[in-house]
Short mmCIF file of all heavy atoms in Angstrom, two decimals:
data_model
loop_
_atom_site.label_atom_id
_atom_site.label_comp_id
_atom_site.label_asym_id
_atom_site.label_seq_id
_atom_site.Cartn_x
_atom_site.Cartn_y
_atom_site.Cartn_z
N GLY A 140 -38.84 70.04 -23.65
CA GLY A 140 -39.91 70.85 -23.26
C GLY A 140 -40.20 72.07 -24.01
O GLY A 140 -41.34 72.58 -24.10
N GLU A 141 -39.24 72.49 -24.86
CA GLU A 141 -39.34 73.69 -25.72
C GLU A 141 -39.53 73.40 -27.13
O GLU A 141 -39.52 74.20 -27.98
CB GLU A 141 -38.08 74.54 -25.59
CG GLU A 141 -37.96 75.13 -24.11
CD GLU A 141 -36.64 75.90 -24.08
OE1 GLU A 141 -35.94 76.06 -24.96
OE2 GLU A 141 -36.33 76.23 -22.86
N GLY A 142 -39.70 71.95 -27.44
CA GLY A 142 -39.94 71.42 -28.76
C GLY A 142 -38.80 71.33 -29.65
O GLY A 142 -38.70 71.02 -30.84
N TYR A 143 -37.54 71.44 -29.01
CA TYR A 143 -36.25 71.12 -29.73
C TYR A 143 -35.81 69.62 -29.54
O TYR A 143 -36.25 69.01 -28.59
CB TYR A 143 -35.20 72.09 -29.17
CG TYR A 143 -35.44 73.49 -29.47
CD1 TYR A 143 -35.78 74.23 -28.29
CD2 TYR A 143 -35.31 73.99 -30.71
CE1 TYR A 143 -35.88 75.68 -28.80
CE2 TYR A 143 -35.51 75.38 -30.98
CZ TYR A 143 -35.78 76.19 -29.92
OH TYR A 143 -36.07 77.52 -30.17
N PRO A 144 -35.03 69.08 -30.41
CA PRO A 144 -34.63 67.74 -30.19
C PRO A 144 -33.89 67.56 -28.86
O PRO A 144 -33.00 68.37 -28.52
CB PRO A 144 -33.68 67.36 -31.35
CG PRO A 144 -34.14 68.46 -32.48
CD PRO A 144 -34.59 69.71 -31.70
N ALA A 145 -34.23 66.57 -28.06
CA ALA A 145 -33.69 66.31 -26.90
C ALA A 145 -32.34 65.64 -27.14
O ALA A 145 -32.13 64.94 -28.02
CB ALA A 145 -34.62 65.34 -26.02
N GLN A 146 -31.45 65.91 -26.11
CA GLN A 146 -30.02 65.38 -26.29
C GLN A 146 -29.74 64.49 -25.08
O GLN A 146 -29.05 64.70 -24.13
CB GLN A 146 -29.05 66.54 -26.16
CG GLN A 146 -29.30 67.53 -27.19
CD GLN A 146 -28.96 67.05 -28.57
OE1 GLN A 146 -28.09 66.26 -28.86
NE2 GLN A 146 -29.51 67.56 -29.75
N PRO A 147 -30.34 63.26 -25.11
CA PRO A 147 -29.91 62.32 -23.95
C PRO A 147 -28.54 61.89 -24.01
O PRO A 147 -27.96 61.69 -25.10
CB PRO A 147 -30.99 60.99 -24.24
CG PRO A 147 -31.16 61.15 -25.79
CD PRO A 147 -31.09 62.59 -26.17
N ALA A 148 -27.95 61.64 -22.76
CA ALA A 148 -26.62 61.11 -22.70
C ALA A 148 -26.59 59.72 -23.21
O ALA A 148 -25.58 59.29 -23.79
CB ALA A 148 -26.11 61.16 -21.28
N GLU A 149 -27.54 58.97 -22.94
CA GLU A 149 -27.73 57.50 -23.45
C GLU A 149 -29.09 57.18 -23.63
O GLU A 149 -29.99 57.82 -23.19
CB GLU A 149 -27.07 56.67 -22.43
CG GLU A 149 -27.90 56.52 -21.12
CD GLU A 149 -27.21 55.59 -20.15
OE1 GLU A 149 -26.21 56.01 -19.43
OE2 GLU A 149 -27.62 54.43 -20.04
N LEU A 150 -29.36 56.45 -24.72
CA LEU A 150 -30.76 56.02 -25.03
C LEU A 150 -30.76 54.60 -25.83
O LEU A 150 -30.05 54.45 -26.64
CB LEU A 150 -31.35 57.00 -26.10
CG LEU A 150 -32.78 56.71 -26.41
CD1 LEU A 150 -33.76 56.97 -25.16
CD2 LEU A 150 -33.17 57.81 -27.58
N GLN A 151 -31.54 53.70 -25.10
CA GLN A 151 -31.70 52.31 -25.74
C GLN A 151 -33.07 52.13 -26.06
O GLN A 151 -33.96 52.72 -25.41
CB GLN A 151 -31.28 51.26 -24.79
CG GLN A 151 -29.81 51.25 -24.35
CD GLN A 151 -29.49 52.17 -23.25
OE1 GLN A 151 -30.36 52.30 -22.36
NE2 GLN A 151 -28.43 52.81 -23.26
N ALA A 152 -33.38 51.35 -27.11
CA ALA A 152 -34.76 51.06 -27.58
C ALA A 152 -35.03 49.57 -27.73
O ALA A 152 -34.13 48.92 -28.36
CB ALA A 152 -35.04 51.88 -28.83
N LEU A 153 -36.06 49.05 -27.21
CA LEU A 153 -36.47 47.70 -27.44
C LEU A 153 -37.80 47.72 -28.03
O LEU A 153 -38.82 48.23 -27.47
CB LEU A 153 -36.42 46.97 -26.13
CG LEU A 153 -36.91 45.53 -26.09
CD1 LEU A 153 -36.04 44.62 -26.95
CD2 LEU A 153 -37.14 45.00 -24.71
N LEU A 154 -38.04 47.13 -29.21
CA LEU A 154 -39.24 46.96 -29.90
C LEU A 154 -39.81 45.59 -29.56
O LEU A 154 -39.13 44.47 -29.83
CB LEU A 154 -39.14 47.00 -31.44
CG LEU A 154 -40.44 47.18 -32.15
CD1 LEU A 154 -41.34 48.33 -31.75
CD2 LEU A 154 -40.10 47.27 -33.66
N THR A 155 -41.01 45.47 -28.98
CA THR A 155 -41.55 44.20 -28.53
C THR A 155 -43.02 44.04 -28.72
O THR A 155 -43.68 45.11 -28.80
CB THR A 155 -41.10 43.91 -27.06
OG1 THR A 155 -41.48 42.68 -26.64
CG2 THR A 155 -41.65 45.00 -26.07
N ARG A 156 -43.55 42.89 -28.65
CA ARG A 156 -44.96 42.67 -28.60
C ARG A 156 -45.47 42.77 -27.07
O ARG A 156 -44.63 42.41 -26.12
CB ARG A 156 -45.39 41.30 -29.04
CG ARG A 156 -45.09 41.12 -30.57
CD ARG A 156 -46.15 41.50 -31.43
NE ARG A 156 -45.98 41.07 -32.68
CZ ARG A 156 -46.82 41.26 -33.69
NH1 ARG A 156 -47.82 41.94 -33.51
NH2 ARG A 156 -46.58 40.87 -34.93
N PRO A 157 -46.55 43.36 -26.86
CA PRO A 157 -46.90 43.50 -25.39
C PRO A 157 -47.21 42.12 -24.65
O PRO A 157 -47.09 42.07 -23.51
CB PRO A 157 -48.30 44.28 -25.51
CG PRO A 157 -48.16 45.03 -26.61
CD PRO A 157 -47.39 44.03 -27.67
N THR A 158 -47.39 41.07 -25.50
CA THR A 158 -47.86 39.71 -24.95
C THR A 158 -46.75 38.67 -24.93
O THR A 158 -46.89 37.70 -24.30
CB THR A 158 -49.04 39.23 -25.50
OG1 THR A 158 -48.82 39.21 -26.98
CG2 THR A 158 -50.18 40.13 -25.33
N ASN A 159 -45.61 38.75 -25.72
CA ASN A 159 -44.61 37.75 -25.74
C ASN A 159 -43.27 38.29 -26.21
O ASN A 159 -43.32 39.43 -26.69
CB ASN A 159 -45.11 36.46 -26.59
CG ASN A 159 -45.23 36.80 -27.99
OD1 ASN A 159 -44.22 37.36 -28.57
ND2 ASN A 159 -46.11 36.39 -28.76
N GLN A 160 -42.28 37.53 -25.99
CA GLN A 160 -40.98 37.90 -26.38
C GLN A 160 -40.41 37.48 -27.66
O GLN A 160 -39.28 37.82 -28.01
CB GLN A 160 -40.06 37.58 -25.23
CG GLN A 160 -40.30 38.15 -23.82
CD GLN A 160 -39.43 37.65 -22.80
OE1 GLN A 160 -39.39 36.38 -22.68
NE2 GLN A 160 -38.87 38.44 -21.97
N THR A 161 -41.13 36.64 -28.38
CA THR A 161 -40.56 35.94 -29.56
C THR A 161 -40.14 37.01 -30.60
O THR A 161 -39.22 36.66 -31.39
CB THR A 161 -41.54 34.91 -30.05
OG1 THR A 161 -42.72 35.62 -30.47
CG2 THR A 161 -41.80 33.87 -29.10
N ASP A 162 -40.84 38.11 -30.75
CA ASP A 162 -40.48 39.11 -31.70
C ASP A 162 -39.64 40.26 -31.31
O ASP A 162 -39.53 41.23 -31.92
CB ASP A 162 -41.82 39.71 -32.38
CG ASP A 162 -42.58 38.43 -33.06
OD1 ASP A 162 -41.95 37.57 -33.66
OD2 ASP A 162 -43.70 38.54 -33.03
N ASP A 163 -39.17 40.16 -30.14
CA ASP A 163 -38.31 41.41 -29.52
C ASP A 163 -37.23 41.71 -30.40
O ASP A 163 -36.43 40.89 -30.89
CB ASP A 163 -37.81 41.01 -28.06
CG ASP A 163 -38.81 40.95 -27.07
OD1 ASP A 163 -40.07 41.13 -27.48
OD2 ASP A 163 -38.45 40.93 -25.93
N GLN A 164 -36.93 43.03 -30.56
CA GLN A 164 -35.84 43.44 -31.39
C GLN A 164 -35.09 44.65 -30.61
O GLN A 164 -35.79 45.62 -30.29
CB GLN A 164 -36.33 44.02 -32.78
CG GLN A 164 -37.04 43.05 -33.57
CD GLN A 164 -37.60 43.70 -34.73
OE1 GLN A 164 -36.88 44.58 -35.43
NE2 GLN A 164 -38.95 43.54 -35.14
N ILE A 165 -33.88 44.49 -30.26
CA ILE A 165 -33.14 45.58 -29.70
C ILE A 165 -32.68 46.46 -30.87
O ILE A 165 -32.05 46.01 -31.88
CB ILE A 165 -31.83 45.04 -28.94
CG1 ILE A 165 -32.30 44.24 -27.74
CG2 ILE A 165 -31.02 46.21 -28.60
CD1 ILE A 165 -31.19 43.50 -27.08
N LEU A 166 -33.11 47.76 -30.90
CA LEU A 166 -32.94 48.63 -31.89
C LEU A 166 -31.52 49.27 -31.95
O LEU A 166 -31.17 49.72 -30.85
CB LEU A 166 -33.97 49.55 -32.20
CG LEU A 166 -35.46 49.06 -32.26
CD1 LEU A 166 -36.49 50.14 -32.31
CD2 LEU A 166 -35.49 48.04 -33.43
#
Side-chain angles (χ1 to χ4, degrees):
E141 297 175 6
Y143 296 108
Q146 302 289 331
E149 59 181 88
L150 185 64
Q151 296 86 34
L153 174 67
L154 185 63
T155 183
R156 296 271 192 181
T158 55
N159 68 47
Q160 295 176 310
T161 57
D162 296 326
D163 286 7
Q164 301 174 46
I165 297 173
L166 302 182

